[in-house]
Amino acid sequence: MASATHNSTHISGRLDEDAIPGTVHLVDIEGTMRAKHARGGLSDVVLVPAPSNDPDDPLNWSPMRKMLSTLSMCVYILMTSVASSAIYGAIVPISADTGLSVAQLNTGTGYMFLAFGWGCLFWQPMALQYGKRPVYLISLLTSIPIMVGQAHAKSNGTWIYWLAIWFAIGFIFCFFFMEETNYDRAPLEVAVLPDEFLAEPSAVDAGKELDVKTLHVDAVHSGPVLSGKPKSFFQRMSIRDKKRPFTVHIKMARILKLWSFPVILYAGFSYGCSLCWYNVINATTSLVLSSPPYNFSAARVGCTYFATEIGTALALPYAGIFGDWAVLRLARRNGGIWQSEQRLWLFLLPLFVLPFSLLLWGVGAYHQVEVFGLVFSEFLTGLTVTVAAQLSVSYCIDSYKDLGADAIVSVVLIRNSMSFAIGYGVTPWVTNLGLQTAYIIAAFAGMGAILTVFPIIKFGPSLRASSRARYFKLVKEAMAEGYVI
């Protein structure tokens, strides 16, 4: 981390507590904003947040450096996700080998996800206190002996050894390439005029009066040119972040306080629902495909998950590239102002595709359709779950950016608690109702959950406006910690 004096743009101003969090002047339609803009064909787009003057600000990293950071995160997620979900593809043979019922194994995975979620209540504040890099590395390193111990505890040890090897590979890669991304920057809602600007000629240059509100509708400011010497490779790979006052307990309390914000509760509910329906299919994949008429081996069951990966890959351009295009288009139609709820219109795709995928899986398996139909259902589920999860997380972060690191944990706690409930109850639910009835209910429940997005689109702006007093109280608390400057 950069030092305190080499960490942010010098700013003189005040926190504008009249600003509405999540309402952003994103497009400079009239070209009058003294703010840092994007380049090329998007030169009218205001950068939110604006990069600082620090070359080690992640927003100022080179494309290659950003790509390597993203790749490191993908490697971490891949290694941990494989280890935590590998049981689903082999749950029937594991049940036969260990004597544990499928219901008990699914219940156990439910407890696992519950622990994953609530563990974030401790580990996220630790990551903000001491750095994300050491927390990532510690989690990978300590998982290796856990996997080895499990391999010795029961049979099926060979494939668990492979999980330990995956963790080791992930640790080595992240140790050499994953940089620290903690960075303290000014809150977005600071109504200020910075010392220097990099903006193009504006209304001020033309002798017109500058509207200060133009500068801080979820305030956007411009910083001076990059200054200072970038950190060396060895400094960037340090396992120690900058020293901060110890505030882990305060951060933990703040995460729970954020549950009083309706927008965060909705984001958690929406995120949880999206993963619940994936877990409903995931928990029965081995059960269905290992049984007649399919009689798949554990290896073949595992191969069907490639369909989910393909669906996930195709969701990325929709939720990412098309989503960003839609955001800019809606902002331009709204006079350049973007509201965080506008992205939620992208839920129209999951609204129709998710129920179809659940019906295709449950009703199709009940009537023993060709295996392609079930694999296609997995593809559609991967597509819709990824879109819904990304939209839910983005809505949370877009609404309360300055407390995003805390808010996302509040959302994850809700998500994983819901995932635990599904893991705990899915096997007896499907067993007692049957595949067809259970998945018909799931399809309409999934559609009903997504339909709740329309009241949020309508009332979300007023909910955010009503929460700003509590929000800025927490922002000032974080500022006092040095969490945001």
Side-chain angles (χ1 to χ4, degrees), residues 195-458:
D195 293 340
E196 301 179 50
F197 292 97
L198 287 177
E200 300 171 359
S202 66
V204 173
D205 303 304
K208 299 178 182 178
E209 180 181 0
L210 177 67
D211 182 2
V212 175
K213 287 187 178 295
T214 304
L215 292 173
H216 66 269
V217 182
D218 219 352
V220 181
H221 63 272
S222 174
V225 295
L226 298 185
S227 61
K229 183 180 179 180
K231 291 184 287 187
S232 68
F233 175 80
F234 292 104
Q235 289 175 320
R236 285 154 48 184
M237 292 299 122
S238 171
I239 59 173
R240 295 183 62 185
D241 195 12
K242 63 176 285 189
K243 188 175 181 179
R244 295 179 174 87
F246 184 82
T247 57
V248 169
H249 56 296
I250 298 176
K251 292 181 177 67
M252 293 176 67
R254 185 161 57 236
I255 289 169
L256 300 178
K257 290 177 183 178
L258 287 170
W259 279 349
S260 65
F261 291 67
V263 164
I264 290 177
L265 287 178
Y266 172 76
F269 166 77
S270 177
Y271 195 4
C273 285
S274 67
L275 293 187
C276 279
W277 306 124
Y278 174 71
N279 288 344
V280 165
I281 289 182
N282 206 14
T284 57
T285 298
S286 183
L287 187 66
V288 169
L289 295 179
S290 298
S291 304
Y294 308 110
N295 298 315
F296 276 24
S297 65
R300 292 185 67 190
V301 172
C303 287
T304 66
Y305 282 94
F306 280 111
T308 306
E309 297 301 317
I310 295 172
T312 299
L314 292 181
L316 299 180
Y318 176 79
I321 298 173
F322 176 76
D324 289 344
W325 174 85
V327 162
L328 293 176
R329 181 175 177 84
L330 291 170
R332 288 189 174 100
R333 291 175 58 184
N334 195 35
I337 304 299
W338 175 64
Q339 310 249 27
S340 57
E341 288 77 19
Q342 291 171 346
R343 192 185 296 270
L344 298 180
W345 286 107
L346 295 175
F347 266 108
L348 287 173
L349 176 66
L351 176 63
F352 297 104
V353 177
L354 176 64
F356 175 73
S357 70
L358 292 171
L359 289 173
L360 181 58
W361 178 266
V363 179
Y366 179 81
H367 291 281
Q368 300 181 347
V369 298
E370 290 293 329
V371 71
F372 175 80
L374 301 183
V375 173
F376 186 63
S377 171
E378 290 183 293
F379 160 77
L380 294 177
T381 303
L383 172 69
T384 55
V385 165
T386 302
V387 170
Q390 192 275 339
L391 294 177
S392 302
V393 171
S394 294
Y395 181 48
C396 168
I397 301 299
D398 290 341
S399 297
Y400 301 110
K401 279 188 174 70
D402 292 324
L403 297 178
D406 294 327
I408 197 63
V409 179
S410 303
V411 167
V412 167
L413 292 178
I414 298 172
R415 179 202 70 181
N416 281 43
S417 296
M418 294 175 65
S419 183
F420 160 72
I422 286 293
Y424 190 83
V426 63
T427 302
W429 181 48
V430 172
T431 301
N432 294 333
L433 293 179
L435 281 170
Q436 179 167 269
T437 303
Y439 280 89
I440 289 174
I441 294 173
F444 284 99
M447 175 179 282
I450 296 176
L451 285 172
T452 60
V453 75
F454 295 106
I456 292 297
I457 290 174
K458 180 174 177 60

